[in-house]
Structure formats: C-alpha cells, structure tokens
Amino acid sequence: GDSVTQMEGPVTLSEEAFLTINCTYTATGYPSLFWYVQYPGEGLQLLLKATKADDKGSNKGFEATYRKETTSFHLEKGSVQVSDSAVYFCALIAMNNNAGNMLTFGGGTRLMVKP
Amino acid sequence: NAGVTQTPKFRILKIGQSMTLQCAQDMNHNYMYWYRQDPGMGLKLIYYSVGAGITDKGEVPNGYNVSRSTTEDFPLRLELAAPSQTSVYFCASSVGSGGGTDTQYFGPGTRLTVL
C-alpha cells in the first residue's frame, strides 16, 4: 500500500540555521504531496503542496520539490526562526484514491529552534 | 468563518462508556474526515464522508461510528470505549475536488483518555 517515511526527530537547530527534513514515499502513479505543520496545541494546517513531478511548493520561506525519480519531497528552509518550532508532517493523496482523498501521513518530525 | 470546530477539547472516559465527538464546518465543504493521532505517529483515517448521507470506512474504523445528516456536521460516536482508543482525534474538511489535490482543513482536536 501507499506509505510515507520521514526522518525521525526531534531536530534541534539554532535560529537562522538551514533546515532540511527528509521525506520519501511509496505509491503507484503520481500522488499529490503535502507538508502539514502542527503548532503546539493546535490542529494541522497546510504548509505547502505539489501535485505533479518537478513541481515546487513554497510558503513562508519553506520549499519542497516533487522528485519522481527519487520518490522524495524534502522540506527546506534557508533560515529558521524560533516561531517555526512545530511538528511537520509529510503526506500524500494517492493518484487513484478510493477513500475520498484520504491523506496518508508520515510519522511527523518535531523541530525545535533555539534563540 | 470559524472553519472546523470540535467539541469537547478534552475528555476522560471509563472503559465501556460511550461518547460522541462533535465536528462542524462552516465552509460548505462536501468532504469531511475523522483522523486519530497516536503519540509519535502520523494520523490515521477512521471514517470519511463525501456528502450528506454518505459515509465510508477509513483505515481504522473498528469501535467507531459516524453519521452525516447535514453538510455542516459530522459527529463521531465511540461505543464501549477501550484504552486502545486513547488518542487525539482530528476532524477535517475539504472542498472535494477531483484528482486528489484537495487541501484539508483541520479542527483543533479532541484529546481523549480512556481509563
């Protein structure tokens, strides 16, 4: 079945450091790929998405590129801030999904940014 | 717009008790979802609905029931609560566009403990 694997955390960085959170997926065809972020005590919110190969999603300084050849969708940010501290989830919607656009999630990566 | 709202925020149940988690959205979305999030894990789909009167099982439906009598509301019913149902429950909604590119909007979650 479809699955998403992302690096385990926590990831601890100093403010202004470069961030990479790795995400790889297994799915047939061309799924849509997403990064969701969960701030402490809140629900998930969409950070960015890409719906076809080589697309780059970007938002709030975060970027991720849909790489079909490596089945990856790594999240990057050039300079993190304390306010970026959160849990980040990589997710996909399968191309021929039979469950109402069900999201398949990775396990989440906790990011802690220190001043 | 309030977006997706959930009640209650927290609840402690005894084994064998029942309860209903409430979810409402005011975005006129067709699709609604219930996920559970276990510690350190990604979210798993419990049930989903593609419109009023239509519901279907997700990945982990055992021990739960849902109904969708209106576009706005999608309650989740737990019958005979068990410790394995201790989790954080998230409701979500989306427009329901084809092609699997939907953005899902999440509520703030309900933290349930079964003792």
Side-chain angles (χ1 to χ4, degrees):
Chain A
D2 304 321
S3 65
V4 176
T5 302
Q6 58 183 109
M7 60 190 288
E8 290 191 21
V11 174
T12 304
L13 296 174
S14 297
E15 210 164 21
E16 299 184 1
F18 184 86
L19 169 71
T20 300
I21 300 178
N22 290 336
C23 170
T24 58
Y25 67 90
T26 301
T28 55
Y30 291 84
S32 296
L33 301 174
F34 303 81
W35 278 100
Y36 278 83
V37 59
Q38 184 179 29
Y39 297 103
E42 298 183 10
L44 282 72
Q45 54 186 275
L46 179 69
L47 181 60
L48 54 84
K49 68 179 180 183
T51 58
K52 59 183 188 294
D54 299 325
D55 265 4
K56 178 186 283 188
S58 62
N59 186 27
K60 299 181 181 180
F62 291 90
E63 292 183 339
T65 301
Y66 188 139
R67 302 283 189 202
K68 179 65 176 174
E69 63 276 11
T70 54
T71 62
S72 65
F73 193 53
H74 304 321
L75 182 68
E76 296 182 336
K77 187 175 186 184
S79 176
V80 294
Q81 305 299 314
V82 172
S83 57
D84 293 326
S85 299
V87 180
Y88 292 82
F89 291 94
C90 186
L92 66 80
I93 296 178
M95 183 180 177
N96 296 316
N97 74 88
N98 295 316
N101 293 339
M102 177 184 83
L103 281 163
T104 297
F105 285 90
T109 302
R110 181 176 299 277
L111 169 66
M112 295 189 291
V113 180
K114 298 185 175 180
Chain B
N1 280 358
V4 180
T5 57
Q6 293 182 237
T7 56
K9 285 187 169 36
F10 304 94
R11 184 71 185 268
I12 298 175
L13 284 182
K14 294 183 179 178
I15 294 172
Q17 287 185 319
S18 300
M19 77 165 293
T20 299
L21 282 66
Q22 302 292 343
C23 173
Q25 53 93 8
D26 62 359
M27 297 175 282
N28 202 32
H29 284 171
N30 291 317
Y31 287 21
M32 296 188 74
Y33 313 82
W34 275 106
Y35 292 89
R36 59 178 286 173
Q37 182 183 28
D38 297 327
M41 308 284 286
L43 283 69
K44 296 285 189 186
L45 183 68
I46 305 171
Y47 270 94
Y48 69 98
S49 168
V50 299
I54 307 170
T55 63
D56 209 344
K57 296 177 181 178
E59 299 174 280
V60 289
N62 291 345
Y64 307 95
N65 275 301
V66 294
S67 60
R68 182 108 181 260
S69 56
T70 66
T71 299
E72 294 78 19
D73 300 300
F74 190 42
L76 177 72
R77 177 84 178 160
L78 278 73
E79 304 282 2
L80 299 175
S84 60
Q85 293 179 304
T86 294
S87 190
V88 181
Y89 291 83
F90 289 100
C91 181
S93 71
S94 68
V95 170
S97 59
T101 61
D102 256 3
T103 295
Q104 292 185 21
Y105 296 83
F106 286 79
T110 294
R111 185 176 295 275
L112 175 67
T113 302
V114 182
L115 301 173

